[in-house]
Amino acid sequence: MKSHAKVVVIGGGIAGCSTLYHLTQEGWSDVVLLERNELTSGTTWHSAAQVTNFGMNQTMVGLKTHSINLYKELRDDPDYPVSYNHGDGGIRLANTEAQMDGYRHFASMARGMNVDFDVIDAAECARRHPLISTDNLVGGLWDGNDGDIDPASLCQALARRARKAGAQVYRNTPVTGLTQHKDDSWTVHTEHGDITCEIVVNACGYRVNEVGAMMGVHHPVMSMEHQYFVTDDIPAIRDAGHRMPLLRCPISDYYCRQEKNGLLVGFYEQNCKTWGMDGIDPHFVNALCPDDLDRITDVLEGAFERMPALADVGIKTIVNGPITYTIDGAPLVGPIPGKRNAFCIIGLRAGLGEGGGHGWLLAQQIVHGEACYDTWCIDPRRFAAHTNVELTALKAIEDYQNEFRFHFPNEHRPAGRMAKTTPLTPVLAAEGAVFTTVNGWERAEFYKPNADFHITHSFRFDESHDLVGAEVNAVQTAVGLCEVDGFNRIEVTGSDAWAFLDRMICGRLPRKSGRVGLGYMLNHHGMLKSEVTIANLPATDRGSERIWLGSAAAAECHDMDWLQSHVGADDDVQMRALTNDQTILVLAGPRSRDVMNKVSRNDWSKTGFPWLSVRECFIGIAPATVMAVSFSGELAYEIHIPNASLYAAYLALREAGEEHGLKLFGGLAVDSMRLEKGYLHWKADILTEFDPYETDLGRFVDMSKPDFIGKKALAERLAIGPQKRLVTLNVTCNTSAAQAGASVMLQGKVVGTVTSGAYGHRTGKNLAYAFVDPDLANAGTAVQIDMLGHMETAEIVPKGQYDPHLTHVRS
Ligand SMILES: Cc1cc2nc3c(=O)[nH]c(=O)nc-3n(C[C@H](O)[C@H](O)[C@H](O)COP(=O)(O)OP(=O)(O)OC[C@H]3O[C@@H](n4cnc5c(N)ncnc54)[C@H](O)[C@@H]3O)c2cc1C
């Protein structure tokens, strides 16, 4: 065995083989794969191996398209052809119009990735799949690229190509330990000796946490037992003259595809089971769990009803094997949080369909630092440390039970709730708060009028629409209070702190004590990495001069990782996470100053505490740090309070606000107002696929600075000109907001993609942001948005439709 390699990939299932192959494709040949047994001896060998193009966002669709194209190439390789049934087609069924709306939206989104899905009615479903009944069926989504592949030969083909390009594959070589050195390189210990390397990749399938433990990491991945059976021949299939399309049924939680002249039918039963939670037998290799058909009787009945031919056919084989799930259903592909030179490609529950694409995106991240798509939806840093084994198990069970039931907008599922709360959570719940979760934190979305109030999950405006309008109205005309818990906050200190931030941030910094600014971090390609509020806190009796960086709750691990990885060995820079200790109360609206004057003895006048100021003070008896910043577009104060005194501050503000008509407001009202104001959301509108100029954030770039990360690449991009431009659209549709991913069309062609949409209750406009072709990015241009199957007219309008001259925030 080699004693050194640039990259060591641990695990020889589809994840590891695909990563190894793609590393060689990106030009790195000094790469090694270590497999404890034989290739594919984990989950991969017994996979049902369906390969769909369907995904719920453009990154997932794009990576699946890559899988499909790669698998077609491997199928057509005369030296080592892989068995791949591409193009059988597949249908996802629906028995409600709301599900059909979802499919219409996903079809619009996929069109932007050059993938065509058809939304078809029940009769057309039955025409395309002659074995199904149309009882209780509204229709479905047709994916013409659907098919299945032979998993073993796929992995062998990838490993074979990687070897040809210089990679090494060592089978029967279990990794037994990992040691990281001061220079961030690794020694990988195996039963056959050590190998040193710069970078390790965990691709260990259901053994992910055995290898995670070797580097002191717990990954939020849980295995579930998952069963399918293969039937004897079915005469109708044998005689059909064509292969049967695949079927995925969210009504009865099963899937099936043709296997020889019978069917392979797999189940997502409600009575499901985690696997290996307390350790995995080291001898579980090329192995299956015991058959357990009793567990699936509930699902089986539904499958028989939909496909009566199943009821009369014998079962040839039963497969019950471990399949991995993560906390939100999407895999973890990218840098391992808190570690340097360590990546993972784990938690794949559809690894055969997706594995080609995930390995491709991971190899790009390893070699180039970033992939061609924004990979946040699969980034391992999207969760914080709260994702323990118990929470992961609860979410994995919930996700398994809902495998084919996609999330509706504003649908927040019940398992594992209250993982992260503040002292205000029960108080706001008693006020009627309907919560969403953000990085595990419970955050009020809106306030319901009574306990019996429920919204219908839908892609259209729902029952919360007018309630949100009333919350916005209170903020616009009087004063509103909103808790923003989990907001990421990093305190930066040290004599080199400002010099460090000057390197990290592409624009000017608020160097004057007591001032606040907004800054953007770019990656080395000049693309947008992070958005931070930078507060220059003066020295007080609470501490010496320091800087607070604030960013989205979801950015907690991401931003800390990015910042820490750029602190030089000689830099005097210290960073401390404050996220779990403090919570923000946002006080917004024209009467907010009156409320501040009542709860605090400081001067809150326009000149005493102007817009973009920060100070420490007390709210009643609660110590607070207040910033004059606004995401709503109204006069507003962001009040940061230690959790221990949060309730005291809340009581003081409520009491003071009563005479001014203070009303609680939630995240949906914030979203409505920020779209009207032209403010962006990280990872909705701020993506690594675009630079700051394309994202209309050019005013936050200072190219005259001597240097900052990404400057050189940005200058090169500037010379070429924008590929897309972010614009605001006014949509003439009064039944739904434009959903992220919807295609912007002109004369039948896709010219852009929506990133966010919400109804603006102050302007009465249905607004959206979208990246569009640069030549169209002018106010007044008319386009269409493919919304739920309709081409809705939309006009490009100036950004910041509400109070464009900032008179309210500066008032
Ligand atoms: C019943 C069933 C049906 C499925 N159907 C589909 C489907 O239709 N379509 C689809 O896309 N997906 C399907 N899946 C999921 C898919 O099979 C998996 O997502 C995929 O196989 C996971 O691949 P992997 O490489 O991540 O893990 P694995 O295949 O488990 O590979 C991990 C490898 O790491 C090795 N390893 C572990 N520890 C060490 C160590 N210490 N040292 C060295 N090597 C180590 C293991 O031996 C193993 O070979 C199905 C899964 C099941 C269970």
Side-chain angles (χ1 to χ4, degrees):
M1 193 169 76
K2 276 174 100 166
S3 58
H4 180 81
K6 198 166 176 68
V7 183
V8 169
V9 178
I10 310 168
I14 178 61
C17 292
S18 174
T19 304
L20 188 77
Y21 165 72
H22 284 98
L23 283 169
T24 65
Q25 291 296 293
E26 296 298 329
W28 284 14
S29 55
D30 183 15
V31 292
V32 160
L33 186 149
L34 303 178
E35 163 54 49
R36 79 197 284 275
N37 306 106
E38 292 293 339
L39 295 184
T40 76
S41 57
T43 289
T44 298
W45 70 275
H46 63 259
S47 177
Q50 301 155 98
V51 179
T52 173
N53 216 162
F54 178 81
M56 279 176 284
N57 59 54
Q58 291 198 327
T59 296
M60 292 305 284
V61 172
L63 72 88
K64 290 182 190 199
T65 301
H66 178 82
S67 288
I68 289 169
N69 291 337
L70 172 65
Y71 299 171
K72 282 198 285 187
E73 191 187 313
L74 296 174
R75 177 198 61 188
D76 299 339
D77 183 344
D79 290 342
Y80 193 88
V82 171
S83 169
Y84 176 29
N85 295 309
H86 169 255
D88 288 352
I91 312 175
R92 276 160 209 272
L93 303 178
N95 66 340
T96 67
E97 270 304 327
Q99 284 170 335
M100 292 293 279
D101 268 352
Y103 292 156
R104 290 179 190 113
H105 169 63
F106 297 132
S108 167
M109 177 270 296
R111 186 167 298 133
M113 298 302 283
N114 294 316
V115 173
D116 286 325
F117 296 141
D118 297 335
V119 180
I120 55 179
D121 64 17
E124 185 59 21
C125 291
R127 198 188 66 72
R128 296 187 190 197
H129 200 310
L131 295 186
I132 63 169
S133 118
T134 55
D135 289 352
N136 181 31
L137 187 67
V138 177
L141 181 88
W142 172 260
D143 167 10
N145 283 323
D146 230 321
D148 69 274
I149 194 159
D150 169 23
S153 66
L154 168 63
C155 292
Q156 293 295 348
L158 291 168
R160 191 171 170 273
R161 283 188 169 206
R163 277 198 204 98
K164 274 191 162 179
Q168 305 283 318
V169 176
Y170 299 108
R171 295 173 294 126
N172 300 307
T173 308
V175 170
T176 52
L178 291 164
T179 306
Q180 188 157 31
H181 306 288
K182 277 200 172 128
D183 64 354
D184 295 332
S185 68
W186 294 87
T187 297
V188 181
H189 310 284
T190 83
E191 283 190 5
H192 305 313
D194 291 353
I195 176 165
T196 56
C197 62
E198 289 171 30
I199 294 165
V200 288
V201 178
N202 182 345
C204 287
Y206 51 74
R207 294 193 188 275
V208 45
N209 276 315
E210 292 177 7
V211 172
M214 295 177 199
M215 59 168 82
V217 168
H218 170 77
H219 296 282
V221 175
M222 177 60 53
S223 295
M224 304 291 300
E225 282 189 26
H226 175 47
Q227 286 183 99
Y228 65 74
F229 60 62
V230 179
T231 71
D232 291 332
D233 285 5
I234 296 176
I237 294 183
R238 196 180 47 223
D239 304 338
H242 62 85
R243 285 183 57 83
M244 285 295 143
L246 290 84
L247 206 65
R248 294 177 185 82
C249 181
I251 312 158
S252 301
D253 303 303
Y254 75 99
Y255 57 84
C256 75
R257 67 164 175 83
Q258 184 167 340
E259 176 69 18
K260 301 215 163 65
N261 283 322
L263 288 173
L264 180 157
V265 193
F267 302 92
Y268 292 100
E269 66 283 2
Q270 294 302 301
N271 178 24
C272 56
K273 236 173 132 178
T274 59
W275 181 85
M277 239 176 118
D278 297 315
I280 300 168
D281 178 352
H283 303 294
F284 190 90
V285 177
N286 254 317
L288 293 173
C289 313
D291 303 345
D292 188 1
L293 286 189
D294 286 349
R295 230 172 53 220
I296 58 164
T297 42
D298 57 332
V299 203
L300 209 48
E301 262 174 45
F304 287 167
E305 278 167 26
R306 181 65 60 214
M307 202 177 282
L310 270 182
D312 305 325
V313 69
I315 292 175
K316 216 158 47 183
T317 324
I318 302 170
V319 167
N320 185 15
I323 185 168
T324 52
Y325 276 72
T326 65
I327 236 164
D328 65 357
L332 304 169
V333 182
I336 296 175
K339 291 283 158 191
R340 300 263 178 94
N341 291 358
F343 293 80
C344 59
I345 172 163
I346 51 175
L348 273 61
R349 70 177 191 205
L352 271 300
E354 298 173 2
H358 285 308
W360 176 56
L361 295 180
L362 182 61
Q364 290 178 43
Q365 291 184 64
I366 294 172
V367 175
H368 308 296
E370 206 80 67
C372 57
Y373 304 134
D374 188 294
T375 48
W376 182 243
C377 63
I378 51 171
D379 194 314
R381 296 166 301 186
R382 65 191 188 274
F383 314 115
H386 69 285
T387 52
N388 59 45
V389 60
E390 303 298 334
L391 179 63
T392 308
L394 287 178
K395 293 309 281 183
I397 291 168
E398 181 182 64
D399 222 52
Y400 183 95
Q401 289 169 330
N402 288 285
E403 173 71 29
F404 295 131
R405 280 185 285 273
F406 51 79
H407 277 85
F408 284 91
N410 306 333
E411 179 187 2
H412 311 293
R413 292 186 175 159
R417 295 302 292 267
M418 302 295 152
K420 291 200 274 189
T421 58
T422 73
L424 282 193
T425 311
V427 178
L428 300 184
E431 295 277 1
V434 175
F435 294 101
T436 178
T437 49
V438 184
N439 200 2
W441 293 95
E442 295 290 327
R443 237 189 226 179
E445 271 208 321
F446 69 94
Y447 288 82
K448 59 185 178 182
N450 56 62
D452 300 330
F453 178 91
H454 293 287
I455 58 165
T456 318
H457 292 137
S458 159
F459 278 75
R460 295 167 192 264
F461 293 140
D462 62 33
E463 296 85 345
S464 67
H465 187 73
D466 292 340
L467 297 172
V468 173
E471 289 174 16
V472 170
N473 184 260
V475 176
Q476 182 185 13
T477 57
V479 56
L481 187 65
C482 174
E483 185 194 42
V484 185
D485 46 348
F487 187 74
N488 184 40
R489 204 176 299 93
I490 301 169
E491 186 174 272
V492 190
T493 48
S495 58
D496 297 323
W498 284 111
F500 168 68
L501 289 181
D502 207 33
R503 216 165 60 229
M504 298 302 298
I505 286 164
C506 66
R508 278 183 296 278
L509 302 174
R511 295 300 299 267
K512 207 167 149 209
S513 185
R515 297 299 289 163
V516 181
L518 192 59
Y520 292 86
M521 294 192 258
L522 310 185
N523 63 23
H524 293 92
H525 305 279
M527 311 302 250
L528 279 164
K529 190 82 182 158
S530 286
E531 179 189 59
V532 281
T533 307
I534 311 150
N536 186 342
L537 265 71
T540 63
D541 57 356
R542 290 186 209 161
S544 54
E545 259 204 359
R546 60 219 182 276
I547 306 159
W548 276 12
L549 298 182
S551 61
E556 184 179 345
C557 290
H558 175 276
D559 284 2
M560 190 59 116
D561 256 22
W562 182 250
L563 287 162
Q564 273 180 341
S565 66
H566 288 89
V567 177
D570 299 330
D571 287 344
D572 175 23
V573 175
Q574 293 82 46
M575 279 181 276
R576 190 164 70 103
L578 301 177
T579 305
N580 293 328
D581 307 333
Q582 305 240 349
T583 293
I584 296 176
L585 292 176
V586 170
L587 189 69
R591 301 266 75 83
S592 54
R593 179 172 289 126
D594 299 327
V595 177
M596 288 302 280
N597 280 330
K598 224 167 155 193
V599 292
S600 156
R601 287 183 293 110
N602 298 70
D603 176 3
W604 298 102
S605 67
K606 188 175 165 176
T607 45
F609 193 69
W611 189 46
L612 299 181
S613 299
V614 57
R615 74 153 55 116
E616 287 173 341
C617 61
F618 291 91
I619 300 295
I621 55 166
T625 306
V626 178
M627 299 181 201
V629 293
S630 172
F631 204 44
S632 59
E634 305 296 347
L635 174 71
Y637 301 92
E638 213 176 68
I639 308 169
H640 301 240
I641 305 171
N643 283 336
S645 34
L646 184 63
Y647 186 53
Y650 170 82
L651 287 179
L653 290 164
R654 287 300 304 255
E655 196 187 332
E658 201 166 330
E659 67 178 285
H660 300 290
L662 184 142
K663 193 173 162 79
L664 296 171
F665 68 103
L668 293 180
V670 173
D671 217 33
S672 164
M673 292 188 279
R674 66 111 190 162
L675 263 122
E676 289 179 312
K677 258 327 279 160
Y679 297 147
L680 309 181
H681 249 176
W682 184 69
K683 291 303 174 196
D685 321 301
I686 298 171
L687 302 167
T688 55
E689 287 171 43
F690 304 100
D691 68 38
Y693 294 100
E694 292 171 321
T695 313
D696 201 9
L697 294 171
R699 66 191 180 284
F700 293 99
V701 182
D702 181 2
M703 289 303 270
S704 69
K705 275 171 61 162
D707 202 11
F708 54 80
I709 291 174
K711 183 180 173 191
K712 186 166 168 281
L714 187 60
E716 283 161 14
R717 290 185 63 81
L718 268 175
I720 300 165
Q723 307 302 298
K724 292 275 178 194
R725 297 288 295 267
L726 186 91
V727 295
T728 305
L729 292 153
N730 181 13
V731 192
T732 46
C733 171
N734 53 19
T735 51
S736 55
Q739 298 292 330
S743 283
V744 182
M745 313 286 296
L746 188 67
Q747 293 164 355
K749 280 202 191 125
V750 179
V751 293
T753 302
V754 169
T755 56
S756 302
Y759 184 80
H761 288 277
R762 292 173 297 190
T763 55
K765 292 177 182 165
N766 193 4
L767 297 171
Y769 295 141
F771 281 100
V772 300
D773 291 347
D775 53 330
L776 300 174
N778 305 310
T781 304
V783 290
Q784 292 173 313
I785 305 181
D786 179 355
M787 285 168 59
L788 311 182
H790 292 278
M791 290 296 164
E792 304 287 358
T793 308
E795 185 193 336
I796 295 176
V797 293
K799 191 173 162 189
Q801 287 286 292
Y802 180 73
D803 187 28
H805 302 297
L806 301 172
T807 51
H808 295 206
V809 290
R810 290 187 168 130
S811 61

